Amino acid sequence: MLALLTACPGEPTIVPDKASFNGVTQLDTVAGKAELSVSALKDETVLTRGTITNASATVTSTSLQAQQTFTVRAEVCGNIIPKGETITGLLTLDSTGSMGSNDPTKLRAVAAKDFVVRMSGQDRAAVASFDTSTAPTAPYTDLTIWQNFSSDKPLLETAIDKATFDRGDTNVWDAGIDSVALLKTTSGENKIVVLLTDGEDNRSSNDPEDVIESANQETTSIYTIGLGRSINARELLEIASATGGTFNQVNEADDLIGLYDSIFNATRASGCIEITFQPLPSPGAVLSGNLTFTVNGANLTTAYTVRFPD
């Protein structure tokens, strides 16, 4: 069960044991800057709040074939604060035909269950999928709901398994609109969508701007995940940035393992570190390295990855 540790007046400051990189929140490709969501945890699952100091970063690897050395500057752009006592979330999974080749062993289901495991008894979540061949759940046009909002973890995990299949084309923008609409039907704070897709949208009547407008009208944050290279990376990043979520892109389904765990951290208590790369990374560059920072006297390190869209 998750707990969020905050130090009350007169009580000892809570010292975290580990850090978590949760994804990219903003990316300025012109200036070579990225804002990264980070969290601090006591043990494995207990989130702490605190002031971030002594931020620094390194670049340990790049996707560029030519040998190039980058320098990176790190600055704090937000301390770690709670985002709410509870989560009201929707896990929206891509069930389109390309998932058969991009995730043949259904690792997305294993990864998504990590989010459910972290939920407290007060958190609630729903599970849905999207593709153009499966009948949507009325009154929605593009979303199939496998479990409505619940705190029952076995029910949610069973629903994730039901939502993990592959058929049809990609209607991710329309599914995003439906996801926000589904959250509108329930009460609760800290409303979030975790939206996974592995392909470029080829069947939606809506566009990313429509998804952003809908989410912001309903105060809903969208955390986007792109699997593979055939995605609308710029648009998925734009949706996450404009709605207060994070964006993550992974090449292989194996890389999804642990990702939903990090996104959970971002939804509960997170801060911000801005890093600037020099020289300016070229379009398509992938840079990885380590973030180091101090929270409540503890020196923490976590790996990060930033992708500059083509």
Side-chain angles (χ1 to χ4, degrees):
M1 177 177 294
L2 174 129
L4 179 62
L5 296 184
T6 57
C8 297
E11 292 184 357
T13 299
I14 297 153
V15 180
D17 297 322
K18 62 177 292 188
S20 167
F21 162 64
N22 308 322
V24 177
T25 58
Q26 299 282 344
L27 185 64
D28 184 342
T29 58
V30 175
K33 294 182 178 181
E35 292 184 7
L36 310 181
S37 170
V38 297
S39 297
L41 298 91
K42 180 69 175 176
D43 302 320
E44 289 297 317
T45 61
V46 181
L47 290 154
T48 69
R49 68 182 302 165
T51 300
I52 302 175
T53 58
N54 304 322
S56 63
T58 61
V59 177
T60 57
S61 66
T62 77
S63 64
L64 303 173
Q65 293 182 353
Q67 294 296 321
Q68 187 173 6
T69 300
F70 288 91
T71 60
V72 57
R73 184 179 73 252
E75 298 180 357
V76 179
C77 46
N79 291 314
I80 298 174
I81 59 173
K83 290 193 172 183
E85 292 298 322
T86 60
I87 293 169
T88 307
L90 172 60
L91 304 179
T92 301
L93 298 172
D94 189 326
S95 55
T96 58
S98 55
M99 277 294 189
S101 56
N102 286 330
D103 183 22
T105 57
K106 298 178 171 52
L107 291 175
R108 63 192 183 278
V110 178
K113 289 175 184 178
D114 285 343
F115 191 98
V116 173
V117 168
R118 294 287 303 281
M119 289 169 54
S120 72
Q122 290 71 48
D123 296 327
R124 295 184 303 131
V127 178
S129 66
F130 66 90
D131 64 79
T132 59
S133 294
T134 306
T137 303
Y140 307 103
T141 60
D142 295 84
L143 203 67
T144 304
I145 302 168
W146 299 99
Q147 175 60 53
N148 218 319
F149 295 97
S150 174
S151 298
D152 190 314
K153 294 183 181 183
L155 282 180
L156 292 169
E157 291 177 346
T158 298
I160 289 170
D161 288 333
K162 291 179 179 178
T164 307
F165 54 90
D166 44 274
R167 64 172 73 108
D169 292 332
T170 303
N171 49 345
V172 61
W173 308 144
D174 287 351
I177 294 287
D178 278 354
S179 295
V180 174
L182 176 58
L183 277 162
K184 186 179 179 179
T185 66
T186 190
S187 60
E189 62 176 12
N190 197 5
K191 292 187 175 183
I192 64 105
V193 176
V194 184
L195 178 63
L196 166 69
T197 184
D198 76 331
E200 294 184 2
D201 191 297
N202 54 18
R203 291 290 295 274
S204 286
S205 58
N206 292 283
D207 59 27
E209 287 71 26
D210 296 324
V211 179
I212 291 168
E213 181 180 5
S214 175
N216 286 338
Q217 285 178 349
E218 301 303 327
T219 318
T220 298
S221 297
I222 303 181
Y223 295 76
T224 57
I225 304 170
L227 170 60
R229 296 173 176 83
S230 299
I231 61 168
N232 298 96
R234 289 183 182 274
E235 290 85 351
L236 290 170
L237 173 61
E238 179 185 7
I239 289 171
S241 297
T243 63
T246 62
F247 170 63
N248 283 276
Q249 181 179 355
V250 296
N251 291 335
E252 307 293 339
D254 290 355
D255 300 325
L256 292 171
I257 304 302
L259 185 53
Y260 279 78
D261 192 50
S262 297
I263 291 173
F264 186 92
N265 295 334
T267 67
R268 288 304 305 267
S270 59
C272 174
I273 296 178
E274 179 186 81
I275 57 177
T276 303
F277 299 101
Q278 293 180 336
L280 181 67
S282 58
V286 182
L287 284 73
S288 299
N290 292 310
L291 290 173
T292 301
F293 54 96
T294 302
V295 177
N296 299 341
N299 297 320
L300 308 172
T301 299
T302 182
Y304 75 89
T305 297
V306 174
R307 289 171 167 83
F308 285 80
D310 294 326

